[in-house]
Amino acid sequence: MGTHLGIDIGGSGIKGAPVDVLSGALAEDRHRIPTPQPALAEPVSATLREIVGSFPGVAGPVGCAFPGIVISNRIFSAANLDGSWIGIDAGARFSEACGRPVVMINDADAAGLAEARFGAAAGRSGVVLLLTLGTGIGSALLHNGRLVPNTELGHLELGGEVIEKRASNRARKTRRLSLKEWTEPLNEYLAHLDRLLSPDLVVIGGGISKRFKTFGPHLRSRAEVVPAALRNNAGIVGAALWAAGSGVAQPTGANRR
Ligand code: BGC
């Protein structure tokens, strides 16, 4: 309860801030440091230590969102970060580097918890799917506010290709698609997800969600589709919730240590 530190590891930046876990508000401005390149365990641990050290007043376990599969604080995939992360107990590494417990969660799962508690899916029951459209595609699946962790729906194959290679925001830029043109692979993806999961609500996250007004009207889905409310802070807020163990959407099971 109270204030917890949330950190979000991304491909280009690592950012952290203390979060009031009762309101979801950042208690101080966030601190962002460019992700070391290559993003190996050693320099990333040093970056985490620096971020934690810049908020000396915040005690307790730190929550850390990671762009890959996370089970019991261990990393099982790192599609858009350095592959050497696979098999590493990131929780143990970071705890040692920071001198206090650091608990790990997938970045999209963290965003899903945050949106379910404070954002676009707050108070929503039924099947909620959050998709983060960035360098890759992350997913969080919730039912009545409870998370099914590590769904990795950005790695579904559609038309013989992993969908994040076609429908992420990075793919849009690489292929020089306008926002409207980009909704074509997105609509195909949404239709596929609808066939598999029949969501009631789809929340579109990632930095590009701030342009939802432009591309949102071209999206077609049986489900209601809305932009994320917490935008770039969703990972930080969700990681802090994870550390606090106080989320309404608190998952139980394999990835909670
Ligand atoms: C990773 C996911 C992650 C997503 C967004 C994907 O490539 O496999 O674990 O949530 O990117 O960062």
Side-chain angles (χ1 to χ4, degrees):
M1 288 297 167
T3 302
H4 279 264
L5 200 54
I7 296 180
D8 190 5
I9 298 181
S12 57
I14 300 181
K15 47 203 192 210
V19 178
D20 176 341
V21 293
L22 294 179
S23 69
L26 301 196
E28 288 178 55
D29 286 348
R30 62 185 207 180
H31 185 170
R32 181 184 186 280
I33 298 177
T35 307
Q37 302 298 338
L40 304 174
E42 185 80 34
V44 170
S45 302
T47 304
L48 246 80
R49 182 172 53 231
E50 189 179 337
I51 292 177
V52 170
S54 64
F55 298 106
V58 191
V62 175
C64 180
F66 186 91
I69 299 171
V70 179
I71 303 173
S72 298
N73 293 316
R74 195 176 286 278
I75 306 307
F76 283 80
S77 77
N80 296 304
L81 216 61
D82 198 86
S84 61
W85 279 98
I86 296 170
I88 287 185
D89 184 340
R93 277 284 185 113
F94 294 158
S95 299
E96 200 188 320
C98 300
R100 56 204 271 198
V102 179
V103 291
M104 305 298 298
I105 182 171
N106 169 264
D107 57 357
D109 283 344
L113 289 183
E115 289 292 337
R117 174 88 187 249
F118 304 113
R124 296 292 295 251
S125 57
V127 177
V128 173
L129 182 61
L130 169 123
L131 299 172
T132 61
L133 307 174
T135 306
I137 294 182
S139 63
L141 182 67
L142 298 106
H143 181 240
N144 291 341
R146 293 182 81 85
L147 178 73
V148 180
N150 292 311
T151 43
E152 292 291 332
L153 297 171
H155 288 266
L156 279 176
E157 282 187 30
L158 201 54
E161 210 177 357
V162 172
I163 192 65
E164 77 171 11
K165 302 273 177 255
R166 213 144 54 90
S168 64
N169 190 40
R170 172 152 80 182
R172 177 185 74 82
K173 290 187 204 157
T174 309
R175 295 174 186 218
R176 297 170 190 273
L177 300 179
S178 68
L179 286 172
K180 185 171 177 226
E181 286 166 337
W182 179 51
T183 58
E184 203 180 296
L186 276 182
N187 281 331
E188 209 185 310
Y189 183 38
L190 288 174
H192 192 59
L193 290 171
D194 192 42
R195 281 192 291 273
L196 297 178
L197 299 167
S198 300
D200 298 296
L201 176 69
V202 178
V203 179
I204 303 290
I208 194 69
S209 62
K210 63 175 178 284
R211 296 177 72 187
F212 188 85
K213 276 204 178 85
T214 310
F215 67 89
H218 302 289
L219 292 176
R220 287 186 308 277
S221 174
R222 186 202 47 82
E224 184 185 351
V225 184
V226 297
L230 300 168
R231 303 256 165 84
N232 273 336
N233 289 334
I236 294 177
V237 174
L241 278 179
W242 185 244
S246 65
V248 274
Q250 186 59 57
T252 55
N255 71 348
R256 181 90 194 146
R257 68 171 203 177

